[in-house]
Amino acid sequence: MTLDFIKKMIDWFKDGKNLPRRYVWEIVLGAHSHFAKEESMVNLDLEDGVTCDVIGDVHGQFYDLLNLYSLTGEPNDKHCLLMNGDLVDRGSWSIEVILTAFAYKWLYPTRMFINRGNHEAKDMNRTYGFEGEAKHKHGEQTYKLFAYVFTTLPLATLVSATKLPATPDKAAILSPEGRKRYFVVHGGLFSKDGVTLDDIRKIERVGRQPGQEGLMCELLWTDPQEMPGRGPSKRGVGIAFGPDVTRRWCTLNGVTGIIRSHEVRENGYAIEHDGLCTTVFSAPNYVDQVGNKGAFIRIDSSGTQKYFQFDATPHPPMKPMAYAQGGLSSLLM
């Protein structure tokens, strides 16, 4: 894998062409070789001068992803990308999105990170388009390969600053070493108190689907709510967690804040739970009809966050959910 290959592959995709199946398998297996070595929670320490861009759901919106990458820049020695799940489904270029992301993972394994989302799962892929798209473009065995490799994606990433905060903030929750660190996960927190970072790190994920309950399910499916405590999920899977739940969990684990995705936000991001929980969503004008902006978050080596917004980019005349069973359906999941 080379950067030149990735650029030529992107041009190939923009011309509406499919990669030869042998190349697809090589890219997926090349990325898998690195995912398989990572724990269920990856530790990403931002050395002096290194930044990390956290990217939310992109949902198969390939042309928006290319615009996004033009804003973030490619991974390099001083810059990391962290894609926080839901790369596929809904948008009709999910294959192009996932192959581009996996190619970067293969080329820059310590600078490109991908968390699993609730849509990197068989039941969602069957309903929301990725299974149909993968089979249409590359055959059933290729879809099965993707389905397995999705189970090797880490479930969360702990992004840690290595420098002390530039401006002391007595109210901030810091690591035991006095540094800022952010827990990046697709969905959110848990149906019970007391879950530790070590509990997450030890989750056996490979070969497994998220299911309807348990830590893996909740990491990928839960949402924040404004009310204190916990409530039922509007999705029917997972729970909703309040600001008091977030503060207790962050305090227990020495986490400065949670960065999660999983939900559309009109401005591309929203700072919630008294600043302890931020939602970032990176699919602008979601499914060609919501009208939202996209966003990403940049974190530097002192733990400072900056927020960047962007608008949707024109794309060829292909409707969302083109390969899904029953066509365009509910936006909620």
Side-chain angles (χ1 to χ4, degrees):
M1 180 54 60
T2 65
L3 184 57
D4 182 62
F5 178 91
I6 294 176
K7 290 179 176 179
K8 288 179 178 177
M9 179 179 71
I10 288 171
D11 287 340
W12 188 264
F13 289 154
K14 288 163 70 175
D15 287 340
K17 301 175 182 177
N18 291 329
L19 276 188
R21 192 175 301 174
R22 179 173 68 87
Y23 288 3
V24 173
W25 280 57
E26 285 195 42
I27 291 169
V28 176
L29 292 171
H32 168 265
S33 68
H34 298 293
F35 295 135
K37 298 173 187 174
E38 294 175 334
E39 293 185 301
S40 289
M41 186 188 76
V42 171
N43 288 313
L44 172 53
D45 296 327
L46 298 180
E47 303 94 350
D48 191 17
V50 175
T51 56
C52 175
D53 287 347
V54 181
I55 296 169
D57 303 34
V58 294
H59 274 302
Q61 296 184 196
F62 179 63
Y63 294 86
D64 291 313
L65 177 70
L66 295 184
N67 180 41
L68 171 58
Y69 281 169
S70 76
L71 300 173
T72 63
E74 297 158 350
N76 60 55
D77 288 345
K78 293 293 185 180
H79 186 55
C80 304
L81 296 182
L82 169 51
M83 301 192 71
N84 195 28
D86 281 14
L87 283 73
V88 302
D89 281 341
R90 303 214 183 272
S92 296
W93 293 275
S94 291
I95 282 288
E96 289 79 1
V97 166
I98 199 69
L99 287 176
T100 303
F102 277 11
Y104 276 125
K105 179 63 178 180
W106 189 11
L107 182 59
Y108 302 115
T110 63
R111 287 295 179 256
M112 181 69 174
F113 299 90
I114 304 174
N115 286 339
R116 191 177 186 180
N118 66 306
H119 276 267
E120 280 75 43
K122 284 184 176 180
D123 54 347
M124 303 301 282
N125 295 161
R126 186 173 303 118
T127 303
Y128 294 98
F130 182 69
E131 179 179 340
E133 182 182 343
K135 289 180 177 179
H136 175 79
K137 292 178 178 177
H138 299 292
E140 183 170 359
Q141 287 302 114
T142 302
Y143 169 67
K144 289 181 177 179
L145 176 64
F146 273 113
Y148 174 74
V149 173
F150 285 167
T151 74
T152 69
L153 295 176
L155 306 176
T157 301
L158 186 68
V159 180
S160 300
T162 56
K163 294 173 63 178
L164 294 174
T167 304
D169 181 354
K170 294 180 180 179
I173 301 170
L174 303 176
S175 72
E177 299 77 28
R179 293 172 173 81
K180 291 184 177 181
R181 58 183 186 178
Y182 299 95
F183 182 71
V184 184
V185 64
H186 182 71
L189 295 181
F190 310 99
S191 57
K192 61 182 180 181
D193 287 340
V195 176
T196 66
L197 296 175
D198 204 42
D199 291 332
I200 298 163
R201 193 177 288 113
K202 291 177 180 177
I203 294 172
E204 294 288 341
R205 72 188 190 278
V206 177
R208 300 187 178 188
Q209 299 299 317
Q212 299 290 306
E213 60 183 10
L215 295 186
M216 186 191 302
C217 169
E218 291 170 355
L219 286 165
L220 272 53
W221 275 94
T222 59
D223 298 294
Q225 64 179 19
E226 293 183 6
M227 294 293 293
R230 295 178 172 90
S233 170
K234 61 192 176 187
R235 304 171 188 271
V237 183
I239 54 116
F241 59 96
D244 55 331
V245 175
T246 300
R247 179 165 291 279
R248 287 197 302 272
W249 188 85
C250 288
T251 301
L252 172 67
N253 288 286
V255 166
T256 309
I258 297 161
I259 299 174
R260 45 89 61 179
S261 301
H262 197 37
E263 291 181 290
V264 183
R265 293 292 186 263
E266 181 180 357
N267 294 315
Y269 73 96
I271 302 170
E272 302 157 306
H273 288 189
D274 304 315
L276 292 179
C277 181
T278 301
T279 297
V280 60
F281 194 82
S282 304
N285 194 26
Y286 183 41
V287 292
D288 288 353
Q289 61 184 254
V290 177
N292 60 293
K293 289 184 178 293
F296 65 93
I297 302 172
R298 179 163 293 173
I299 306 171
D300 67 18
S301 55
S302 65
T304 301
Q305 296 185 48
K306 293 182 179 179
Y307 307 92
F308 298 85
Q309 297 170 298
F310 58 97
D311 293 313
T313 299
H315 62 72
M318 173 82 78
K319 292 182 178 180
M321 306 284 283
Y323 302 95
Q325 297 180 3
L328 190 62
S329 62
S330 163
L331 300 181
L332 183 60
M333 304 296 273

